[in-house]
Amino acid sequence: MKMLLPWELLILLSLKECLAENARHGPVFTQEPSDSIFPLSTDDKQVFINCKAKGNPPPHYRWKMDGGEINTQSDPNYSLVEGNLLINNPHVINHGGVYQCIATNPFGTIVSREAKVQFAFLQNFSRKSRNTVSVREGQAVVLLCGPPPHYGDIKYSWFFNGQRSFLQQDARRFISQRTGNLYIAKVEASDAGNYTCAVRNVMTNATVLSSPTPVVVRRDAVMGEYEPKIEVQFPDTLRVSKGSSVKLECFALGNPVPSISWRRADGNPLPGKIKVNHSSGVLEIPYFRPEDAGVYECVAANSKGQNVARGQLIFNNAEHLHWVQTLKDAHMAIDANLQWECKAMGKPRPTYKWLKNGQPLTAQGRIHVEASRLTISRISLSDSGMYQCMAESEHGAVYASAELKVVAAPPNFTRRPVKLSTVIQRGGEVVLECRPDASPRAAISWWRGGELLKDSERQIIMEDGSLRITNISTLDGGRYTCLARNYFGTSSSTGTLLVKEPTKIVVPPLSLDATVGHSIVLPCEVSSDSSLIPLFKWFFNGKAIDFSRQEHFEMIGGGFAGDLMVRNIQLKHSGKYVCMVHTEVDTVSAAADLIVRGPPGAPQGLTVSDITDSSVQLSWVSGPDNHSPITMYVVQARTPFSIGWQTVRTVPDSVPGQMIHATVKDLNPWVDYEFRVVAINGVGVGDPGTPSKQIQTQTAAPQVAPVNVSGGGGARGELVITWEPVSEEQQSGEGFGYVVAFRPLGSSTWIQTVLASPDASQYIYRNESIAPLSQFEVKVGVYNSMGEGPFSLTVTVFSAEEEPSEAPSRVWARALSASVIEVYWEPIPSGSGSGKILAYEVFFWEEGSEQSEAESLRVIDTTALLSGLKGSTAYVISVRAQNSAGLGPCSPAVNYTTKKPPPRQPPGNIHWNLTNSMIFLNWEHVKATENESEVTGYKVVYRQNWPGRTTSLETNKTSVELQIPSSEDYLIEIKALSEGGDGTSSGPIRIPKMSSLNSKGCWCPVSTTIIHFIMFLCNFLFIL
């Protein structure tokens, strides 16, 4: 077997470590011991202290206590459970101390932070009897507790005379939780008895009782009054950490019993979070903050005087240690230089120590230690191991760990070979990387084909071994080899450089102006090496356009063109557009600005000022002009009376675009207005601005007179005057009304009356002396609380006319049927003095009845049709005329009688025969009774079996032929005709449509008598 040289063994060892470096590493703590207080009682037999580390291979553990090694093999009180330390049957003195865990594997050793372990316990009081305390009534007394040996937080209480409940504290009695003593400010006779001190360990919950202390109250003399003496007092200076809770005790002895109060020496009020309890004897400040620091005073006062205790609370701005910069594992080559730095924050500022494999590291030779910085120059394999930086202050220590692995190996391109193929554009620049793994670092040289490359103006071998070539030409293409060498070996890696023609944008996008709603195309066309495929991307204002989510953008073209179409352009599309083209070898771009012009934005901040009765002053802030100057503004107004927004008149008439104020004129007084402004530019009309707040113009005297003044009519002696009321919009103020003025034609004196209602539209002047149809000049004015307004134009109005003085003449009538009479008369002549006849009223009543029961019918012609009358009945008829003044006299009454009623018997025994489209009908003749009109003929009414047009046919025979289609059902009715009218109908006869050409049928109407008989028979059978 061939013997390996030492350097060959070193290479093999280093390679082995490199291959396994991802899996094998030194120990790293995942759990470290921490300061602990364990409750110790008779039931506690074991204590568990945590320690766990990861590593490959897994670490083994050792422990130290107070700096000495713990032998878990020989000491029965200690054993290891994985890395955790188990203490069996712990003892307060023997096993309390500072513990530290140590983890080791082949890569090194690390030590954990130190953990202080203590045990909470409480021993019993001495059984020795306590001396009797003798005290005079009114005197103060202090009973000492004298707690037994203990560790951990304890709480003090007292029992009185063996009672089960604790002694309650009040203004006279106080128990100090610092000393356990019981203080009685003023002894009373009831205080005599036995007092027992109870001490409870908060952690173990164990409680022990002292021997009773007898108290005897002497009554041979009473203690006189004296000023307070503060017996329980807090420290003069106390440092308090941030967020902690602090309690200050203060109690005074005295006669009378002193009262306790608290205050700050600087006069500031006590914070609201402060709690005062036990009759003000304890002041507690939770969650201590910097503003809580200061001098606090306890004031004890009674009628004899007062005493003050004070102490200063100082905010302890201590900050526990924590890392801000830790160590990272280092894998380094031989002869490299190592530098580690760790930084911890804390108050006070920490000091630093360095450990290697758990042992202190001192500066010597190649190792330099400067506070938190460790430097090792020209590292060797012996420097491998676990390193720790320890930051330490009065609040403890923290450790940061890292592993140093020193690697020795020949050059190796396995992980990072030279790039197999590199494509670059002509005229560009390329860096061919050469980064082999090697320890120590390899020397690098480059070859092109068989030619060794040297540094030149365009070719430089960089410090890290990479080859940089600038201003590349097509001749630079070819195979390049990187050769790496150190004193452990040599290795090489080869790649190919391909030179392509550069990409150029030959048709770039151009800056454009566009109008909202239009569409544009931004071109982008390139020339490139034919072997390269260009990839187009568009950016809008620095963000890539996602064409799948943008309905306005579309890329069109293909191959060497990637144009951008922007459809239905909006204002938001203004900005910078960049066309970026990527190929395998380069990236080029071109930019263009797009300005979108649109209607102007809405004016803002509209304010209304200088409000008068007919004008206001408006001012506003112009909105964006959207790249087209504003040419003018339009002012609009809205009132409760207008339909939507209306353009109003302004000063100036046309508000130019550079003006942002205007006066609105011709407004109506006493009207609520809202205003808004609309901007206009060369593109169009913009959105209206936000409406102004509603304002009301000032009141003024009315400015509008009533219109459509007229009149006439009315009763005798009346002058009726009418007009169209003035709308509320034009009333100009409160208290609106009308002034009606009139005078007889030719008179110079006006008669006036005032109507206080704004809704009035008529005035009637009554005077019996006014002759009918007298002419009057009339005008109507307006007024309100501010004064009178204008009058309307003067018009001529006639007074009321006289009722008709004549009755209609030549009244006569004729009976048309049993229920209808037609009445005729001659009209009243127009020159008879009855005025203009508007209508006639016809009165009629049955002969023999009272005229008060008469019915009336109003018509405008000289004929009237009286219907709904009784047959064979005489009626009395009278007519009178009516004009605008009323009704005239009645004409002399005339008597007329209606005809006999028609037959009530319907046609019977009806037969029909259908042949082709002809229906043959025949029936029995209807005979009228003595009180009925004679039959003069018959009426046949027929229609289809669904709602449609009805056809009738009259005949004086008892048969008829009808030509109707046989494809539909028909309904036929037959009635008798007479002077009294139509008789009773036969009822509908259904003629069905037939499939055959010939069919027959008959119809027998059922009389009323037969129906009554059938109903009687049904009821009779039901009773049976």
Side-chain angles (χ1 to χ4, degrees), residues 811 845 876-879 890-895:
V811 178
W845 63 94
V876 180
I877 302 171
S878 178
V879 183
C890 291
S891 68
V894 295
N895 289 36

Side-chain angles (χ1 to χ4, degrees), residues 32 41 51 112 123 244 323 428 442 461 490 607 647 771 833 977 1021:
E32 294 186 67
S41 65
C51 181
S112 74
Q123 294 184 9
S244 62
W323 289 114
I461 299 178
T490 302
T607 59
T647 301
L977 298 178
L1021 293 175

Side-chain angles (χ1 to χ4, degrees), residues 40 147 152 156 213 228 320 326 375 443 490 576 593 597 606 652-653 661 683 758 770 784 883 888 898 921 929 957 983:
L40 197 59
Y156 296 98
T213 300
H320 291 283
T326 58
T375 304
T490 302
K576 181 178 288 294
D593 291 317
R597 306 187 189 279
L606 178 61
D653 290 336
H661 58 84
V683 179
I770 298 177
N784 63 15
N883 63 11
T898 56
L921 287 168
T929 63
K957 300 179 180 180

Side-chain angles (χ1 to χ4, degrees), residues 18-342:
C18 286
L19 293 174
E21 83 175 349
N22 289 333
R24 297 165 60 83
H25 61 85
V28 178
F29 282 117
T30 57
Q31 284 186 357
E32 294 186 67
S34 57
D35 293 347
S36 304
I37 300 176
F38 295 100
L40 197 59
S41 65
T42 55
D43 296 331
D44 295 322
K45 300 297 183 181
Q46 291 183 330
V47 169
F48 206 71
I49 308 176
N50 292 327
C51 181
K52 190 174 183 180
K54 64 180 180 179
N56 188 9
H60 61 269
Y61 301 89
R62 294 179 292 122
W63 283 83
K64 288 184 177 181
M65 175 191 165
D66 292 338
E69 290 278 348
I70 298 175
N71 190 338
T72 56
Q73 302 296 324
S74 60
D75 192 334
N77 292 108
Y78 293 106
S79 59
L80 284 177
V81 180
E82 294 183 344
N84 305 305
L85 182 64
L86 181 63
I87 306 176
N88 301 295
N89 300 314
H91 187 271
V92 172
I93 298 176
N94 296 339
H95 298 120
V98 177
Y99 287 79
Q100 190 172 33
C101 176
I102 304 167
T104 303
N105 77 357
F107 292 98
T109 299
I110 56 174
V111 296
S112 74
R113 62 170 170 250
E114 294 180 338
K116 187 176 183 180
V117 176
Q118 295 171 296
F119 298 92
F121 68 93
L122 177 61
Q123 294 184 9
N124 288 318
F125 276 98
S126 168
R127 293 295 90 196
K128 183 180 179 181
S129 297
R130 299 199 173 194
N131 296 331
T132 300
V133 176
S134 178
V135 61
R136 285 186 297 176
E137 186 176 356
Q139 191 178 3
V141 69
V142 179
L143 302 182
L144 304 180
C145 177
H150 62 274
Y151 186 81
D153 292 339
I154 59 175
K155 183 175 177 60
Y156 296 98
S157 305
W158 284 79
F159 292 100
F160 178 58
N161 283 340
Q163 295 176 357
R164 292 187 177 182
S165 58
F166 293 124
L167 181 71
Q168 295 300 314
Q169 301 181 69
D170 51 29
R172 199 170 58 87
R173 296 175 295 190
F174 179 77
I175 300 172
S176 171
Q177 293 302 317
R178 290 198 301 115
T179 63
N181 298 338
L182 170 62
Y183 299 84
I184 303 177
K186 175 188 173 185
V187 174
E188 298 176 353
S190 59
D191 293 328
N194 292 319
Y195 291 81
T196 302
C197 179
V199 181
R200 180 173 68 88
N201 190 304
V202 176
M203 290 195 66
T204 64
N205 210 29
T207 302
V208 294
L209 302 177
S210 70
S211 299
T213 300
V215 174
V216 176
V217 179
R218 291 162 40 201
R219 311 193 66 174
D220 52 349
V222 178
M223 184 70 178
E225 295 183 349
Y226 60 96
E227 68 179 14
K229 176 188 177 186
I230 296 178
E231 191 70 22
V232 180
Q233 184 173 336
F234 49 95
D236 292 339
T237 302
L238 185 63
R239 292 185 175 273
V240 186
S241 299
K242 177 182 177 180
S244 62
S245 178
V246 60
K247 289 184 180 181
L248 305 180
E249 291 185 345
C250 182
F251 189 75
L253 311 179
N255 185 7
V257 176
S259 63
I260 304 296
S261 61
W262 295 85
R263 67 190 182 194
R264 289 184 61 135
D266 56 10
N268 290 329
L270 295 175
K273 65 181 178 179
I274 282 184
K275 303 175 185 177
V276 178
N277 47 33
H278 297 320
S279 299
S280 302
V282 178
L283 175 75
E284 181 179 359
I285 307 176
Y287 313 112
F288 197 83
R289 308 289 296 174
E291 57 269 21
D292 297 326
V295 177
Y296 287 77
E297 294 181 340
C298 165
V299 181
N302 63 11
S303 59
K304 304 303 290 182
Q306 72 175 26
N307 205 344
V308 178
R310 60 178 53 87
Q312 183 176 12
L313 300 185
I314 300 174
F315 180 72
N316 186 15
N317 193 18
E319 184 178 357
H320 291 283
L321 287 173
H322 61 278
W323 289 114
V324 294
Q325 180 179 335
T326 58
L327 305 180
K328 292 184 179 180
D329 292 342
H331 295 181
M332 303 186 71
I334 287 179
D335 290 339
N337 295 325
L338 168 70
Q339 182 172 298
W340 266 326
E341 186 173 10
C342 58

